[in-house]
Amino acid sequence: MINTNEIISTINMVKYQKLDVRTVTMGISLLDCIDSNKDKVISNIKKKITTYAKDLVRTGEDISNEFGIPIVNKRISVTPLSMITEACGAVDCVPFAIALDEAAKEVGVNFIGGFSALVHKGIRPGEANFIDSIPEALAATDIVCSSVNVANTRAGINMDAVKKMGEIVKKSAELTADKGGIGAAKLVVFANAVEDNPFMAGAFHGVGEGECVINVGVSGPGVVSAALAEMDGAPFDEVAEKIKKTAFHVTRMGELVAREASKRLGVRFGIVDLSLAPTPAMGDSVAHILEAMGLESCGAHGTTAALALLNDAVKKGGIMASSHVGGLSGAFIPVSEDAGMIDAVRKDALTLNKLEAMTSVCSVGLDMIALPGHTPASVISAIIADEMAIGMVNNKTTACRLIPVPGKDVGEEVSFGGLLGTAPIMPYNPYSPEKFIARGGRIPAPLHSQRN
């Protein structure tokens, strides 16, 4: 039974500690939209999205108003579009992205994800054609997000795809130079991508999912920071226990919203993703949680250990709170979206190398990293390759969202506004990996992939 103290505690979390449901995401299968006629496919896609998601935004707002729980975003994810477009042959895929954009705007959601491809073991001609269209698709749309999975633990790393994605990331930024290269901010390169992730820009509706599901992503860095403020000098096992109990509380709120949205929309409840997703607002930072453990600044020696503790405790608390935990479920460390991360980069406490080390113990990878606009495509590919290796060897989801900001150099900043925040331009290692990336082929899967 819920007692008065628990109710008051939740009210205070929402009011003072920036507790919110970051997203209610409706996943929609587009597999039955496939046809050899391009115009028919586009018509099918728009009709299906606007039919299934017509009440999504209103339902989210109703739940938020009735329960007093902020729901920041309402989103849609769809079947990886490369699977849908391939039946049409070698066609221009940009109109499919425009169709997603128009349908998503019609129902009023914040973002739609799934302009995606899965090429971790090889690239078919139709997928190659699709990937080539990504930069123009992201430049021609406002709320469409894209992702490409280039590696997994069972297949290894598709280095041909890694090379290609370095070029695609750079072109995506260049085609949106007037907006700070925001095209690249809507593009994620994955290893071990999951099928039920509700968070953008990497969300897509996997082929193993049902016809339509509701997935909810919770957030609560501010709540965890407030809890740790009461534990100055406490040993780490007590810190972990406090985080675990706090994550339990946060996840129960997400479970409530997910089940209520599922019931009202008549759509199956998928998962609660219990990731700690920060924002640029003060008091809503994962970096500040790490500093509350005793680090002078995020990025100092000890940061990776602190993040490992945080990530593990969040998962343990969340799994006790819901039997439908999924998605990414960990601590996010996007630089531009976290006020503490931004400050740490500004004062040179947090470097690209340290961020890479941190990604080995958390979700979801090198996220919202702004690079100089002159960064070579081969360097972008090599950064991606390093991150994919971490995901492959550790059997975890990891990713890169890298933004080579046109016209900007180290020491400058780029502002995207909203949840995407502000990113200081970070330096990269100047020594060239061009010959390494040019080899192509596939880096074989690790020995522990053979589990059958």
Side-chain angles (χ1 to χ4, degrees), residues 60-95:
E61 291 172 349
D62 288 347
I63 293 171
S64 181
N65 291 332
E66 290 174 30
F67 290 87
I69 298 170
I71 299 175
V72 179
N73 274 189
K74 278 71 71 175
R75 302 168 176 171
I76 296 170
S77 63
V78 297
T79 307
L81 251 289
S82 67
M83 298 179 180
I84 312 302
T85 61
E86 199 164 8
C88 302
V91 297
D92 179 10
C93 294
V94 175

Side-chain angles (χ1 to χ4, degrees), residues 74-221:
K74 278 71 71 175
R75 302 168 176 171
I76 296 170
S77 63
V78 297
T79 307
L81 251 289
S82 67
M83 298 179 180
I84 312 302
T85 61
E86 199 164 8
C88 302
V91 297
D92 179 10
C93 294
V94 175
F96 294 93
I98 293 173
L100 292 179
D101 201 55
E102 291 174 347
K105 288 176 178 175
E106 183 175 334
V107 299
V109 295
N110 303 95
F111 289 104
I112 182 167
F115 197 76
S116 307
L118 310 176
V119 294
H120 37 274
K121 202 169 183 180
I123 307 177
R124 298 188 300 274
E127 290 171 326
N129 176 63
F130 178 87
I131 290 172
D132 284 337
S133 76
I134 289 175
E136 290 184 19
L138 295 177
T141 58
D142 296 313
I143 57 175
V144 170
C145 295
S146 179
S147 60
V148 179
N149 192 74
V150 300
N152 71 22
T153 299
R154 297 303 294 266
I157 305 173
N158 183 347
M159 290 299 291
D160 293 324
V162 168
K163 180 178 185 297
K164 168 63 72 174
M165 289 313 299
E167 299 162 0
I168 294 298
V169 167
K170 191 167 178 67
K171 187 175 179 182
S172 297
E174 290 171 348
L175 290 184
T176 53
D178 59 328
K179 299 177 182 177
I182 198 170
K186 299 188 292 176
L187 173 59
V188 180
V189 185
F190 271 119
N192 292 313
V194 295
E195 298 189 336
D196 55 5
N197 166 26
F199 286 103
M200 300 297 167
F204 63 86
H205 187 69
V207 294
E209 297 289 303
E211 172 72 357
C212 186
V213 300
I214 288 293
N215 296 322
V216 166
V218 298
S219 181

Side-chain angles (χ1 to χ4, degrees), residues 5-337:
N5 289 336
E6 289 175 318
I7 295 171
I8 293 172
S9 175
T10 301
I11 291 171
N12 287 335
M13 286 178 180
V14 170
K15 188 173 182 179
Y16 300 113
Q17 298 162 12
K18 302 187 184 300
L19 176 61
D20 59 54
V21 169
R22 184 55 45 87
T23 178
V24 174
T25 301
M26 176 178 281
I28 303 172
S29 173
L30 299 183
L31 291 175
D32 58 353
C33 296
I34 293 174
D35 194 276
S36 59
N37 183 289
K38 173 183 173 181
D39 293 335
K40 187 173 181 180
V41 174
I42 288 174
S43 176
N44 290 343
I45 288 172
K46 293 178 75 171
K47 181 179 180 181
K48 188 159 192 185
I49 290 172
T50 54
T51 298
Y52 273 88
K54 67 182 188 301
D55 296 323
L56 176 61
V57 172
R58 178 182 57 79
T59 300
E61 291 172 349
D62 288 347
I63 293 171
S64 181
N65 291 332
E66 290 174 30
F67 290 87
I69 298 170
I71 299 175
V72 179
N73 274 189
K74 278 71 71 175
R75 302 168 176 171
I76 296 170
S77 63
V78 297
T79 307
L81 251 289
S82 67
M83 298 179 180
I84 312 302
T85 61
E86 199 164 8
C88 302
V91 297
D92 179 10
C93 294
V94 175
F96 294 93
I98 293 173
L100 292 179
D101 201 55
E102 291 174 347
K105 288 176 178 175
E106 183 175 334
V107 299
V109 295
N110 303 95
F111 289 104
I112 182 167
F115 197 76
S116 307
L118 310 176
V119 294
H120 37 274
K121 202 169 183 180
I123 307 177
R124 298 188 300 274
E127 290 171 326
N129 176 63
F130 178 87
I131 290 172
D132 284 337
S133 76
I134 289 175
E136 290 184 19
L138 295 177
T141 58
D142 296 313
I143 57 175
V144 170
C145 295
S146 179
S147 60
V148 179
N149 192 74
V150 300
N152 71 22
T153 299
R154 297 303 294 266
I157 305 173
N158 183 347
M159 290 299 291
D160 293 324
V162 168
K163 180 178 185 297
K164 168 63 72 174
M165 289 313 299
E167 299 162 0
I168 294 298
V169 167
K170 191 167 178 67
K171 187 175 179 182
S172 297
E174 290 171 348
L175 290 184
T176 53
D178 59 328
K179 299 177 182 177
I182 198 170
K186 299 188 292 176
L187 173 59
V188 180
V189 185
F190 271 119
N192 292 313
V194 295
E195 298 189 336
D196 55 5
N197 166 26
F199 286 103
M200 300 297 167
F204 63 86
H205 187 69
V207 294
E209 297 289 303
E211 172 72 357
C212 186
V213 300
I214 288 293
N215 296 322
V216 166
V218 298
S219 181
V223 178
V224 176
S225 289
L228 294 187
E230 305 168 1
M231 303 194 69
D232 188 32
F236 283 117
D237 46 354
E238 293 181 16
V239 169
E241 186 68 16
K242 186 70 172 181
I243 294 171
K244 186 172 70 173
K245 289 178 178 178
T246 304
F248 178 91
H249 205 151
V250 171
T251 305
R252 292 301 289 174
M253 183 195 71
E255 172 101 354
L256 169 66
V257 170
R259 292 193 178 277
E260 194 65 26
S262 173
K263 181 176 70 174
R264 296 188 186 193
L265 291 165
V267 173
R268 186 172 64 86
F269 166 34
I271 59 94
V272 176
D273 186 319
L274 47 98
S275 297
L276 291 181
T279 73
M282 292 304 295
D284 201 23
S285 165
V286 169
H288 290 160
I289 298 174
L290 306 181
E291 291 167 1
M293 294 187 202
L295 298 171
E296 182 178 0
S297 173
C298 178
H301 296 301
T303 298
T304 305
L307 186 58
L309 181 153
L310 173 64
N311 206 60
D312 180 66
V314 165
K315 289 179 186 290
K316 287 174 177 172
I319 287 170
M320 288 297 292
S322 173
S323 58
H324 290 80
V325 170
L328 301 169
S329 291
F332 288 2
I333 52 170
V335 171
S336 76
E337 300 174 13

Side-chain angles (χ1 to χ4, degrees), residues 424-444:
I425 311 300
M426 300 183 71
Y428 61 87
N429 190 310
Y431 292 93
S432 176
E434 188 168 355
K435 290 183 179 179
F436 173 79
I437 294 300
R439 288 178 179 271
R442 183 156 57 96
I443 293 179

Side-chain angles (χ1 to χ4, degrees), residues 169 184-185 187 366 368-369 371 380 383-384 400-404:
V169 167
L187 173 59
L366 291 171
M368 291 301 290
I369 307 293
L371 298 169
I380 297 171
I383 295 171
I384 292 170
C400 287
R401 192 159 42 146
L402 308 172
I403 310 153

